[in-house]
Amino acid sequence: MKQYSMIAKAVCIGLLASSSSVVLADDAKLDMERIEVVGKHHRDVGATGLPLAIGDTPQSISVIDREFMDFHDINSIGDALTHSAGVYSETSLDSRERFVFARGFEMNRFLIDGMGTAARANQATMLDTSVFETVEVIRGSTGMLQEIGQPSGTVNLVQKRAYNGTGGYVTAEYGSWNKMRAEADFNTTLTDSGSVRARAVVALEDMDSFVERYNADRKTFYTTLSADITDALQVSVFASYQDDGQTAKSDGLPLQFANGDPIEIGIEANIYPDWGTQDSTQDSLMGELRYQINSDWSVVAKLYQSTTEENKVYTALDWHPAPNGDYAVFTDVKDADYESDRAELGINGQFDLFGQTHTLNVTVADTNFEELNYQYNPLSRVAGNLAAEHRNESPEPKPAKPDYNYDNPILRTSDIGSQSARAALNLQVLDNVNVLLGANRKEVTSYSNIVGTITDKEFSDTSLYYGGVYKVNEQVTVYASYTDIFDQPLHYDKAGKLLDPVRGENQEVGFRFANSENTLSVDVAYFDITQENFPVVAGKDANQNVYYVGQSGIKSEGYEVEVSGYFTDQWFASLSFSDTDVSNPNENEGRVSRVVPEKMASFSTFYEFDSLRVGGYVNYAGEREGFTGFGPIYDYVPVDSNVLAGFSAYYEFNESLSAKFNIHNLFDKEYDAKIAFISVRPGDPRNFSAQVTYTF
């Protein structure tokens, strides 16, 4: 049976990949050229941009490995993040999108190979995992990497790369709710020497849901080409395209009747019409040049463009249904385009001073993000009656689609540009002590036009990074770091003006232990975050768009614990626990500290026999609250904690043919995945999938 690769063992792959010092250490050299390429690239990101082992970085980093995603049949980034330490990945009411939180705040920054994607954060969670080798979660502020430094963290998606060789796989999968999925990954060398390499990935998926009439389909295409122009110069290009379609979108179930009486209706009910749809495309194109000046210094240049287009016919209840079943539907049509462009030039190198070798990174970048959003309101009211539509086994038709006011769109545009210069220095003060110093200077311009209300601002900021790592001995490491927070979110006040940037501080201390074989690790981190001008939902305007106010004194503190590794040659297990306390002294508390559970825990394991691998996972989300109403004052309802388990089995018939079986929500737990506004989204009941893979 195929074993996990050496890099996977070094990183302690699994549900909660360790951020211990064993990751990418010098003694974790890889036998397989394919994985080595990925490993080298993986080191370019981190929390500072320096090519450091994760254990030399004074910040919490977790990695979800390719093999873990394959083993547990994880097909989207949002689903992968449900298995990351300290991360809460919450489904949306009406689609496959997810909201992702860490350390009490939403993670609104997703990167692809260190470059910012144009997708909204919850759109990025829909990206298909077939394109990526690893999902890297950097918890805490990452202002050293990009023009922003939000306090929750950053998700970096590491794309698959072409390697020297010919091979690949094809898979066919069938699962609950008519899930059908096919995936293929093919790599080849285009020259005899292997100096030119190409790789392509295709994934096609179509599935229904436990919710009546809802259907989703996906088409994903990815290709990459790498060429060694000389021994020192390598050029690579990466291109991806993903199309997601959803029909008969359900905005969840109504919480109650208008008089407060409960609504007796099954979780499979879909009270929404078939014409509620969402179609979105996400594509990206990146060019990369790497030049090795000498054995100590290298240059990396990148050009990146990402675009996202979304066409959506939105439907939602405009209030609780009347006792007789009458209800009205709020609906609009939205056409949105997002584009992100980034050019980046970086120099990495090492130099000797005072008997030690130190590392330096200098990077300059130019980034621009544009949003163009058209909203069309209906020309007539849309209404229906639950009793009439659900009286019989064959439901009555839902309300007809209205005409929309296409002549008078509500237009929202925004343009945020930034130029930044970053310098990061790792000083190896002693053999067992390294100190990180960094600064990222940013000049930002922001422009927005919301129905004629124009915001045009220019501002600058310098994010600072201080950190230190002390290796007590070969197994034990302690670290501490300080990072500035600077974030320019696309949030608007009631007048339609863009809010001022969020500023704050992120402090973290941690402890790491790795056993002498580098196969088992323990990580403990404590963090303390403060923020000023943090955007809090204050209500909805006349066009039903959410608006915000900036609040100060927002604080988050807590701790995270991870234990991960091989307890025997065949048995792998990982465990994490996090406890976060978010406080807001303001009267308008919004949804800062309520919708995210304070306590979360995860456990995963597998055991390998000769040709069989059997494993599973258990995820715990503590008590939290849902919010009801449309603001600015919300009512809150308790949401019970839940424990969700999964089972996975993999069998290898021979070197080429294998099969896999997965069950999610193993014990068919009934739970509320999300309560928001006036609706509740039930969690997915038990579901399964079976897959056959041919490897060549």
Side-chain angles (χ1 to χ4, degrees):
M1 166 172 195
K2 294 180 181 176
Q3 298 292 317
Y4 276 26
S5 65
M6 285 297 295
I7 186 62
K9 291 185 178 181
V11 181
C12 294
I13 64 97
L15 178 58
L16 306 167
S18 167
S19 57
S20 71
S21 60
V22 303
V23 179
L24 297 175
D26 289 340
D27 59 352
K29 300 299 183 183
L30 309 174
D31 298 326
M32 296 177 62
E33 184 173 0
R34 169 186 177 184
I35 304 298
E36 172 141 11
V37 173
V38 174
K40 287 181 178 179
H41 175 72
H42 177 77
R43 293 182 58 172
D44 283 348
V45 186
T48 61
L50 289 167
L52 298 175
I54 292 178
D56 293 330
T57 303
Q59 199 161 333
S60 297
I61 301 175
S62 292
V63 179
I64 304 171
D65 187 88
R66 172 76 260 159
E67 290 177 274
F68 176 81
M69 292 185 285
D70 286 341
F71 183 50
H72 292 293
D73 192 37
I74 296 171
N75 303 137
S76 71
I77 296 301
D79 290 342
L81 291 171
T82 64
H83 301 283
S84 181
V87 173
Y88 178 59
S89 179
E90 177 189 56
T91 184
S92 68
L93 284 174
D94 71 334
S95 74
R96 305 174 77 179
E97 298 175 352
R98 284 183 174 270
F99 299 93
V100 181
F101 302 86
R103 299 186 173 180
F105 305 108
E106 186 174 0
M107 302 180 77
N108 55 27
R109 192 63 167 175
F110 283 70
L111 310 178
I112 296 178
D113 285 348
M115 312 294 272
T117 173
R120 293 180 290 108
N122 49 347
Q123 288 174 324
T125 63
M126 295 174 62
L127 287 171
D128 199 271
T129 56
S130 62
V131 173
F132 305 105
E133 198 69 46
T134 57
V135 177
E136 183 183 62
V137 181
I138 310 166
R139 297 191 295 282
S141 180
T142 53
M144 281 296 294
L145 286 179
Q146 296 284 309
E147 66 278 5
I148 64 171
Q150 60 186 21
S152 54
T154 295
V155 178
N156 182 57
L157 310 175
V158 181
Q159 296 181 111
K160 291 179 176 179
R161 295 201 160 216
Y163 57 92
N164 188 5
T166 298
Y169 65 84
V170 292
T171 69
E173 179 180 352
Y174 180 80
S176 297
W177 311 311
N178 296 317
K179 177 183 179 181
M180 291 180 288
R181 179 180 172 91
E183 183 179 324
D185 183 334
F186 177 67
N187 187 93
T188 188
T189 53
L190 302 178
T191 59
D192 292 339
S193 65
S195 60
V196 182
R197 306 167 295 278
R199 189 172 185 176
V201 176
V202 177
L204 305 174
E205 182 178 297
D206 185 274
M207 67 180 298
D208 298 327
S209 167
F210 72 93
V211 178
E212 297 170 334
R213 297 179 290 110
Y214 173 85
N215 176 266
D217 67 84
R218 172 177 296 169
K219 304 175 185 69
T220 303
F221 305 94
Y222 168 75
T223 186
T224 180
L225 177 73
S226 292
D228 299 328
I229 308 302
T230 68
D231 290 342
L233 178 63
Q234 182 187 91
V235 177
S236 301
V237 293
F238 310 83
S240 66
Y241 173 85
Q242 180 170 316
D243 182 291
D244 283 278
Q246 299 175 81
T247 60
K249 277 163 52 75
S250 170
D251 201 51
L253 298 175
L255 272 174
Q256 59 190 28
F257 288 113
N259 63 1
D261 289 344
I263 295 179
E264 301 296 335
I265 192 169
I267 65 170
E268 75 284 351
N270 186 352
I271 70 170
Y272 294 95
D274 292 348
W275 44 265
T277 61
Q278 179 174 325
D279 295 293
S280 62
T281 61
Q282 303 182 55
D283 60 77
S284 65
L285 178 65
M286 184 174 77
E288 178 187 88
L289 180 150
R290 292 171 176 264
Y291 180 68
Q292 193 71 34
I293 300 172
N294 53 42
S295 60
D296 293 327
W297 292 89
S298 63
V299 176
V300 179
K302 296 180 182 180
L303 288 174
Y304 179 79
Q305 182 183 62
S306 173
T307 60
T308 298
E309 298 181 4
E310 182 178 57
N311 306 108
K312 184 175 183 178
V313 181
Y314 180 68
T315 60
L317 290 174
D318 73 345
W319 193 242
H320 301 290
N324 67 353
D326 287 342
Y327 67 89
V329 173
F330 169 78
T331 179
D332 60 26
V333 172
K334 290 184 179 178
D335 294 333
D337 296 325
Y338 308 89
E339 181 174 329
S340 178
D341 300 279
R342 183 176 176 89
E344 184 176 283
L345 176 65
I347 300 176
N348 283 300
Q350 60 184 27
F351 60 94
D352 294 331
L353 185 67
F354 302 124
Q356 298 287 349
T357 301
H358 316 282
T359 310
L360 175 68
N361 168 268
V362 177
T363 298
V364 293
D366 187 287
T367 302
N368 192 73
F369 177 85
E370 297 181 16
E371 173 191 19
L372 180 62
N373 195 318
Y374 289 92
Q375 176 182 322
Y376 307 93
N377 288 335
L379 293 172
S380 59
R381 184 171 181 267
V382 179
N385 182 274
L386 291 177
E389 293 164 0
H390 294 273
R391 180 179 296 117
N392 303 313
E393 291 185 4
S394 298
E396 297 295 322
K398 304 295 179 184
K401 185 177 181 180
D403 294 324
Y404 293 88
N405 189 359
Y406 290 107
D407 295 329
N408 295 291
I410 298 168
L411 177 63
R412 181 172 76 180
T413 64
S414 62
D415 190 324
I416 297 178
S418 70
Q419 293 77 44
S420 63
R422 175 184 77 212
L425 175 65
N426 179 52
L427 293 172
Q428 194 69 43
V429 180
L430 299 171
D431 290 342
N432 61 341
V433 177
N434 66 292
V435 174
L436 278 82
L437 304 174
N440 192 5
R441 177 66 179 178
K442 291 153 280 193
E443 303 286 341
V444 181
T445 60
S446 64
Y447 171 88
S448 70
N449 186 337
I450 308 297
V451 198
T453 299
I454 295 176
T455 304
D456 196 353
K457 296 181 180 181
E458 295 183 6
F459 43 86
S460 60
D461 179 79
T462 300
S463 294
L464 301 177
Y465 190 105
Y466 310 105
V469 178
Y470 171 57
K471 296 181 180 179
V472 179
N473 53 45
E474 290 298 321
Q475 279 72 53
V476 177
T477 301
V478 293
Y479 70 85
S481 65
Y482 166 92
T483 321
D484 282 333
I485 295 169
F486 177 83
D487 190 5
Q488 177 59 77
L490 289 176
H491 291 146
Y492 304 87
D493 62 19
K494 191 173 183 179
K497 290 185 176 294
L498 193 67
L499 292 185
D500 288 334
V502 182
R503 300 177 189 270
E505 299 177 348
N506 180 92
Q507 300 173 76
E508 181 175 334
V509 294
F511 163 89
R512 293 170 175 149
F513 167 82
N515 67 355
S516 57
E517 293 80 19
N518 285 339
T519 57
L520 179 66
S521 63
V522 178
D523 292 80
V524 180
Y526 169 81
F527 56 87
D528 190 314
I529 300 167
T530 58
Q531 292 186 87
E532 308 296 320
N533 202 48
F534 181 83
V536 175
V537 176
K540 284 191 174 183
D541 60 21
N543 296 312
Q544 296 298 303
N545 290 312
V546 171
Y547 64 87
Y548 296 78
V549 296
Q551 296 187 345
S552 298
I554 311 298
K555 185 177 179 64
S556 173
E557 60 180 331
Y559 65 91
E560 301 158 342
V561 179
E562 301 178 63
V563 180
S564 184
Y566 282 82
F567 290 84
T568 70
D569 289 342
Q570 289 78 38
W571 178 36
F572 173 89
S574 63
L575 173 69
S576 78
F577 178 80
S578 63
D579 191 338
T580 304
D581 180 31
V582 181
S583 59
N584 181 356
N586 301 278
E587 181 179 351
N588 182 10
E589 196 171 30
R591 293 159 10 208
V592 176
S593 59
R594 295 179 179 249
V595 301
V596 181
E598 291 184 358
K599 296 177 175 59
M600 295 181 291
S602 296
F603 173 75
S604 71
T605 187
F606 66 78
Y607 192 91
E608 293 191 306
F609 302 91
D610 289 340
S611 298
L612 175 67
R613 180 189 304 149
V614 178
Y617 63 84
V618 179
N619 292 337
Y620 166 80
E623 295 179 352
R624 57 198 186 281
E625 293 182 287
F627 62 93
T628 63
F630 294 104
I633 304 300
Y634 292 97
D635 292 324
Y636 291 89
V637 295
V639 179
D640 293 336
S641 62
N642 63 69
V643 178
L644 299 178
F647 170 81
S648 301
Y650 170 91
Y651 186 78
E652 191 172 80
F653 298 98
N654 52 50
E655 290 185 357
S656 299
L657 186 64
S658 62
K660 183 161 59 71
F661 180 73
N662 300 94
I663 305 177
H664 298 289
N665 196 355
L666 177 64
F667 302 110
D668 205 18
K669 169 74 174 179
E670 294 183 7
Y671 66 102
D672 294 331
K674 184 178 181 65
I675 296 177
F677 305 112
I678 57 174
S679 300
V680 56
R681 167 57 156 86
D684 289 4
R686 179 167 51 220
N687 58 94
F688 76 91
S689 65
Q691 182 183 101
V692 176
T693 299
Y694 179 76
T695 304
F696 53 90

